[in-house]
Amino acid sequence: MMENVHLAPETDEDDLYSGFNDYNPAYDTEELENDTGFQQAVRTSHGRRPPVTAKIPSTAVSRPIATGYGSKTSLTSSMGRPMTGTIQDGVARPMTAVRAAGFSKAALRGSAFDPLGQSRGPAPPLEAKNEDSPEEKIRQLEKKVNELVEESCIANSCGDLKLALEKAKDAGRKERVLVRQREQVTSPENINLDLTYSVLFNLASQYSANEMYAEALNTYQVIVKNKMFSNAGRLKVNMGNIYLKQRNYSKAIKFYRMALDQIPSVHKEMRIKIMQNIGITFIKTGQYSDAINSFEHIMSMAPSLKAGFNLILSCFAIGDREKMKKAFQKLIAVPLEIDEDDKYISPSDDPHTNLLIEAIKNDHLRQMERERKAMAEKYIMTAAKLIAPVIEASFAVGYNWCVEVVKASQYVELANDLEINKAITYLRQKDFNQAVDTLKMFEKKDSRVKSAAATNLSFLYYLENEFAQASSYADLAVNSDRYNPSALTNKGNTVFANGDYEKAAEFYKEALRNDSSCTEALYNIGLTYKKLNRLDEALDSFLKLHAILRNSAQVLCQIANIYELMEDPNQAIEWLMQLISVVPTDSQALSKLGELYDSEGDKSQAFQYYYESYRYFPSNIEVIEWLGAYYIDTQFCEKAIQYFERASLIQPTQVKWQLMVASCFRRSGNYQKALDTYKEIHRKFPENVECLRFLVRLCTDIGLKEVQEYATKLKRLEKMKEMREQRIKSGRDSSGGSRSKREGSAGSDSGQNNSASSKSERLSAKLRALPGTDEPYESSGNKEIDASYVDPLGPQIERPKTAAKKRIDEDDFADEELGDDLLPE
């Protein structure tokens, strides 16, 4: 037994690395050329000859049997090559595979070399599917249901809600057929509950999107009541949303709370969203105390901008000043979780770093950060404007408190905006002096704030027609910020007011170069070109503005007016039609349409628009006169009476309207009413010759005894009229007599002659305005009606728009800052 135990020599301990340079001569590849057996095996098939025995495909020598206590005997091949696994000179040769790769027993029998088995031919064909089998039908039907659900979702995302609902209904029908077939083939446990859930959920969602709330609620109830669906209780949030849309707030709160109870506490974000819905529902029901509790819980668990703003609204509703202050401080403390702007400043001149910074300056993440910051600033500004007037005794003290809180927060740049908003609040309270004083405080601030304040000051002085001061502050605003379009617009307005239209146009052009969306500058440059009689350029400016402000009545009015000046009535009518589609109750636009149709000879259309204008504004004397003349021309004198009576009420000192009423009575055959009307006119205007002439004619025709009295008065008035005319004529044409006599005559009678002359001229002008004796209606009917068109928005048509710097975003509780789109009266 001990023969096979080999002890290591003691010398090995002295040299740990001995033997590493020794190797078996069999591995010496350099001697292969001298190895006769190897060369013969290469040249002939001697190396591939079959083994001695067919049992063991190995070398020609049989393997010795080794025991656990002995090693294999070192053998050599017939060619002198060491056997596999033998030990020669103390080094074992590496083992190799028993059979080489790609060889099999068939190769030993002399078959061709075919390691890939290509000689066996192609693989047998796959078994054909049996499409008539129940399992295959179920699979195809399930695939079709999934496709319908996907198509329904895609149609909803594209805005085709009707098609989405139809696809959802079709998916529901096919899914029920699928369930029945599956129950017939397999056990009920194999039903695909996930598919059923997705079909029902999609159907309920499409019902809700199409505002079919009853059907949506029924579908959600089917899902919620089925105990086999896991986490179906979350859908009660959707049911609560539907009840909220239906204004059934009590049920909405009930379902929100049920959903809140079924959602585990680990889903913190979902629970916070449901709590926010509950708080908003409490606000809608007027339960502000409960809403405050909900939002305070949210602010303590996961502060957010919306929750903080809603908390301020709730506190404002109950008028609790202290809670408003605390809520505002909580809103200010909400973290924005955005990177600072310093991140986007290149620290070195490395071109690779600069390219990277340029790439991320305006990527989607950066845009999202900007939107979040803008939303936070909007909430804070709106909340400050809301609570500042009520948290202290005066709104000035409240604004000061808000400014101090903002200055101590991360939104320190909003403090200046709050100060400007404070000045605007003074303006709304008509306290212009305080507004000016507040804005003047910014003259020593940085350029951005100084430019904003100077722009507003320029606007204020422009409204007060102090153009010198307005121009001074406009210059200050422009010098502080040359790229401020509002400042350039205000500077152009001051130049426009001084009549220098060419220079004003230059300022407006510069404002548009800095901000092509500055609508005030674009509107004002159109007015400027109109003043310069450059109608084509004015029309081009207003058409560009119309592309931006599609429903602006001012722009439509200006375009129609320019086409009228260009003598294109058809285009003017077309644009006025668009105008009345925007402001259908504008009486001036309707009367202008009537005037244009009248000039085109279309009396029926003209009457329609004049009548509509009269309905909305029954005090326009030109419209009343046109309508009365129209009824007289169409021989409906009775209908004309009401319009002339209206005109006599508007202008009671004008005798012609009452004469027209009497003439209408006479022409319609109501002589007694005409006589009474003439008598009333004679009582009010006893020196009116026309009235006396008609009285004489009527009394003569009727045979009244009063005819002599009226005839005597008429002769006396006519005689007085002749005497006055002779005196006027003699005063003008007299050339005889001495100079002293003329001077004395002039000195004594100058006052009397002048008064008589002026009175006679006024009387003759009044008489010329009266209808003739024989045809009392024709003069009014043939008279050209002067219905000059006035811009429906007042004097804006001839005054440029004033642009004040816009510092406050629009919101639900504060109007836009004065001057953004306001034209001075």
Side-chain angles (χ1 to χ4, degrees):
M1 181 182 293
M2 295 301 292
E3 293 176 358
N4 295 325
V5 178
H6 302 281
L7 298 177
E10 297 181 358
T11 56
D12 292 345
E13 296 179 0
D14 298 333
D15 188 2
L16 298 177
Y17 300 99
S18 62
F20 282 93
N21 293 326
D22 299 334
Y23 62 94
N24 195 325
Y27 299 143
D28 188 3
T29 57
E30 295 178 356
E31 297 296 330
L32 290 178
E33 294 179 357
N34 302 324
D35 190 341
T36 307
F38 178 77
Q39 294 297 329
Q40 185 180 0
V42 171
R43 292 192 195 97
T44 66
S45 60
H46 178 74
R48 295 200 301 271
R49 67 184 185 278
V52 178
T53 60
K55 294 183 180 179
I56 302 176
S58 181
T59 58
V61 182
S62 60
R63 296 172 183 252
I65 299 174
T67 63
Y69 297 98
S71 60
K72 295 179 182 179
T73 306
S74 179
L75 300 176
T76 57
S77 65
S78 59
M79 302 302 298
R81 183 168 173 262
M83 292 291 293
T84 300
T86 60
I87 298 175
Q88 187 175 5
D89 295 335
V91 178
R93 182 178 180 275
M95 294 291 291
T96 58
V98 174
R99 185 176 61 184
F103 288 91
S104 63
K105 293 181 179 180
L108 301 178
R109 293 193 294 268
S111 62
F113 177 72
D114 187 16
L116 300 179
Q118 296 178 359
S119 61
R120 290 177 294 182
L126 298 175
E127 295 182 3
K129 288 185 178 181
N130 187 6
E131 297 182 357
D132 296 333
S133 64
E135 291 80 4
E136 184 62 26
K137 288 182 178 180
I138 289 174
R139 278 195 293 270
Q140 292 297 327
L141 189 56
E142 186 173 335
K143 182 179 179 182
K144 182 62 176 176
V145 171
N146 281 316
E147 290 177 354
L148 287 172
V149 172
E150 290 179 3
E151 291 173 2
S152 174
C153 296
I154 293 172
N156 182 281
S157 63
C158 295
D160 193 348
L161 302 180
K162 186 175 180 181
L163 177 62
L165 180 59
E166 291 298 326
K167 295 286 185 182
K169 288 181 178 179
D170 195 10
R173 288 190 290 267
K174 291 185 180 302
E175 193 273 335
R176 287 192 291 273
V177 173
L178 173 63
V179 170
R180 286 195 294 269
Q181 290 185 5
R182 195 181 288 275
E183 287 177 349
Q184 294 174 1
V185 175
T186 62
S187 59
E189 290 78 8
N190 294 327
I191 295 176
N192 192 345
L193 290 177
D194 292 338
L195 181 62
T196 305
Y197 180 88
S198 62
V199 169
L200 290 175
F201 178 67
N202 180 61
L203 180 60
S205 299
Q206 303 307 333
Y207 276 134
S208 179
N210 285 272
E211 297 184 358
M212 302 171 66
Y213 297 129
E215 292 83 353
L217 288 172
N218 292 335
T219 309
Y220 279 128
Q221 285 286 1
V222 171
I223 302 175
V224 171
K225 290 182 177 179
N226 194 334
K227 302 299 182 181
M228 300 177 68
F229 295 137
S230 60
N231 299 324
R234 296 186 180 185
L235 297 182
K236 291 183 179 179
V237 177
N238 295 11
M239 300 174 72
N241 292 339
I242 293 176
Y243 282 121
L244 185 65
K245 291 177 182 177
Q246 292 179 331
R247 298 187 178 183
N248 192 346
Y249 301 124
S250 59
K251 279 196 172 183
I253 293 173
K254 174 184 176 182
F255 276 87
Y256 285 143
R257 286 178 169 169
M258 291 168 65
L260 192 65
D261 293 338
Q262 295 185 13
I263 293 178
S265 57
V266 293
H267 298 151
K268 179 180 177 182
E269 187 176 353
M270 176 67 73
R271 292 178 62 86
I272 290 296
K273 289 181 179 179
I274 297 175
M275 286 292 295
Q276 188 158 342
N277 285 4
I278 293 173
I280 292 173
T281 311
F282 277 133
I283 290 178
K284 289 183 175 292
T285 58
Q287 302 178 40
Y288 300 111
S289 299
D290 295 331
I292 289 172
N293 294 333
S294 298
F295 291 124
E296 283 181 344
H297 174 73
I298 295 173
M299 293 300 289
S300 63
M301 298 296 295
S304 65
L305 293 170
K306 289 184 179 180
F309 184 72
N310 288 333
L311 178 59
I312 292 175
L313 294 183
S314 303
C315 296
F316 176 80
I318 64 175
D320 193 329
R321 296 182 177 182
E322 293 302 321
K323 283 190 175 183
M324 277 188 275
K325 289 183 178 181
K326 292 180 180 178
F328 186 74
Q329 290 172 340
K330 290 180 180 179
L331 177 63
I332 289 285
V334 173
L336 275 181
E337 298 178 355
I338 62 175
D339 294 328
E340 298 294 334
D341 292 336
D342 297 340
K343 173 183 176 182
Y344 302 97
I345 300 176
S346 178
S348 62
D349 295 333
D350 183 12
H352 183 269
T353 305
N354 293 338
L355 286 175
L356 178 62
I357 291 175
E358 287 296 327
I360 66 174
K361 263 186 179 179
N362 201 33
D363 60 356
H364 292 293
L365 181 60
R366 178 61 173 162
Q367 291 175 6
M368 187 175 67
E369 289 178 349
R370 288 174 181 165
E371 291 174 0
R372 182 173 176 82
K373 186 176 181 181
M375 183 180 65
E377 291 178 353
K378 179 180 179 181
Y379 281 142
I380 292 170
M381 292 297 298
T382 305
K385 290 187 291 183
L386 178 67
I387 68 173
V390 297
I391 57 176
E392 298 291 346
S394 65
F395 86 94
V397 180
Y399 266 106
N400 292 335
W401 182 87
C402 292
V403 168
E404 294 301 323
V405 174
V406 170
K407 283 182 179 179
S409 69
Q410 55 184 327
Y411 306 98
V412 63
E413 66 273 6
L414 295 181
N416 293 325
D417 296 339
L418 276 176
E419 290 283 358
I420 292 179
N421 188 73
K422 178 182 176 182
I424 295 169
T425 308
Y426 278 124
L427 286 178
R428 292 192 178 122
Q429 295 181 355
K430 308 300 182 183
D431 194 347
F432 295 101
N433 295 328
Q434 287 287 348
V436 171
D437 293 340
T438 305
L439 291 172
K440 284 183 178 179
M441 294 168 52
F442 293 95
E443 292 183 3
K444 297 181 180 179
K445 295 291 181 85
D446 58 29
S447 59
R448 183 185 67 86
V449 180
K450 184 194 298 185
S451 179
T455 301
N456 285 335
L457 283 169
S458 173
F459 166 72
L460 287 175
Y461 284 118
Y462 185 88
L463 290 182
E464 295 177 353
N465 292 327
E466 296 183 17
F467 299 126
Q469 288 279 5
S471 179
S472 174
Y473 279 103
D475 289 334
L476 178 61
V478 172
N479 294 332
S480 301
D481 185 2
R482 187 68 189 182
Y483 300 100
N484 184 353
S486 299
L488 291 166
T489 302
N490 281 355
K491 179 60 181 176
N493 291 348
T494 59
V495 178
F496 183 97
N498 294 326
D500 192 351
Y501 303 122
E502 292 286 354
K503 192 174 181 181
E506 292 299 324
F507 280 108
Y508 296 142
K509 287 178 182 177
E510 187 175 355
L512 288 171
R513 283 194 294 269
N514 293 336
D515 183 6
S516 59
S517 63
C518 182
T519 55
E520 292 86 359
L522 192 56
Y523 183 91
N524 291 349
I525 200 171
L527 289 183
T528 307
Y529 287 141
K530 188 177 170 185
K531 283 285 187 181
L532 295 171
N533 202 28
R534 292 154 62 175
L535 298 181
D536 291 332
E537 295 177 68
L539 181 61
D540 185 56
S541 298
F542 285 119
L543 287 175
K544 288 179 181 177
L545 188 58
H546 175 65
I548 301 173
L549 307 174
R550 303 296 300 181
N551 296 322
S552 173
Q554 291 173 290
V555 178
L556 293 171
C557 173
Q558 291 292 344
I559 294 174
N561 183 251
I562 290 175
Y563 274 120
E564 184 184 6
L565 294 175
M566 297 171 70
E567 298 181 355
D568 190 348
N570 292 327
Q571 283 290 333
I573 289 173
E574 181 179 343
W575 285 95
L576 283 172
M577 293 295 290
Q578 293 187 40
L579 175 62
I580 63 173
S581 68
V582 176
V583 280
T585 60
D586 192 304
S587 63
Q588 292 291 346
L590 292 167
S591 66
K592 188 62 182 179
L593 266 173
E595 179 186 342
L596 290 173
Y597 276 116
D598 188 24
S599 64
E600 292 293 302
D602 193 345
K603 293 286 184 180
S604 60
Q605 285 287 346
F607 169 74
Q608 176 184 349
Y609 289 109
Y610 270 123
Y611 182 74
E612 287 296 313
S613 175
Y614 174 77
R615 279 203 317 120
Y616 291 117
F617 185 58
S619 299
N620 191 330
I621 203 70
E622 289 85 3
V623 174
I624 292 173
E625 184 177 3
W626 191 94
L627 288 171
Y630 173 80
Y631 279 119
I632 290 175
D633 289 342
T634 55
Q635 304 298 321
F636 289 101
C637 300
E638 299 87 350
K639 293 185 177 180
I641 292 173
Q642 60 173 328
Y643 296 104
F644 291 126
E645 286 178 344
R646 169 76 66 173
S648 65
L649 291 176
I650 297 171
Q651 296 180 343
T653 59
Q654 294 289 330
V655 68
K656 68 175 183 178
W657 306 120
Q658 301 181 41
L659 287 173
M660 293 302 296
V661 172
S663 297
C664 289
F665 280 127
R666 186 171 66 84
R667 282 297 179 95
S668 62
N670 194 345
Y671 296 108
Q672 185 59 44
K673 191 69 175 176
L675 180 62
D676 294 340
T677 305
Y678 280 125
K679 287 181 179 180
E680 183 65 23
I681 295 171
H682 178 65
R683 187 181 65 80
K684 293 180 181 179
F685 304 94
E687 295 185 357
N688 188 274
V689 177
E690 294 293 329
C691 180
L692 284 172
R693 287 175 183 170
F694 282 116
L695 279 172
V696 171
R697 287 183 60 182
L698 279 174
C699 291
T700 302
D701 294 342
I702 298 175
L704 297 177
K705 298 178 181 180
E706 301 171 356
V707 63
Q708 190 64 34
E709 177 185 354
Y710 292 128
T712 304
K713 291 182 179 180
L714 178 61
K715 289 179 180 179
R716 185 169 64 249
L717 285 175
E718 289 177 345
K719 189 175 182 180
M720 290 175 61
K721 179 181 178 182
E722 291 177 1
M723 290 174 62
R724 288 170 184 168
E725 289 177 353
Q726 289 177 2
R727 255 188 302 231
I728 293 170
K729 186 177 181 180
S730 63
R732 291 177 179 174
D733 299 338
S734 177
S735 58
S738 62
R739 181 181 179 84
S740 60
K741 185 176 181 180
R742 286 198 307 270
E743 290 176 354
S745 176
S748 60
D749 297 334
S750 62
Q752 183 178 356
N753 290 339
N754 290 338
S755 64
S757 175
S758 61
K759 187 173 182 180
S760 177
E761 289 175 357
R762 289 196 303 270
L763 181 60
S764 62
K766 184 181 292 185
L767 290 175
R768 284 196 300 270
L770 293 177
T773 304
D774 297 329
E775 297 295 332
Y777 336 98
E778 301 302 327
S779 61
S780 176
N782 295 331
K783 180 183 176 183
E784 182 180 357
I785 298 175
D786 183 17
S788 59
Y789 184 52
V790 182
D791 191 336
L793 297 180
Q796 296 91 324
I797 191 169
E798 298 300 336
R799 294 292 297 274
K801 285 190 177 183
T802 306
K805 184 67 177 178
K806 188 173 183 179
R807 301 306 310 159
I808 311 298
D809 292 331
E810 292 120 3
D811 50 78
D812 296 336
F813 302 95
D815 297 331
E816 285 187 345
E817 180 171 339
L818 292 178
D820 287 330
D821 195 18
L822 183 65
L823 302 185
E825 294 292 330

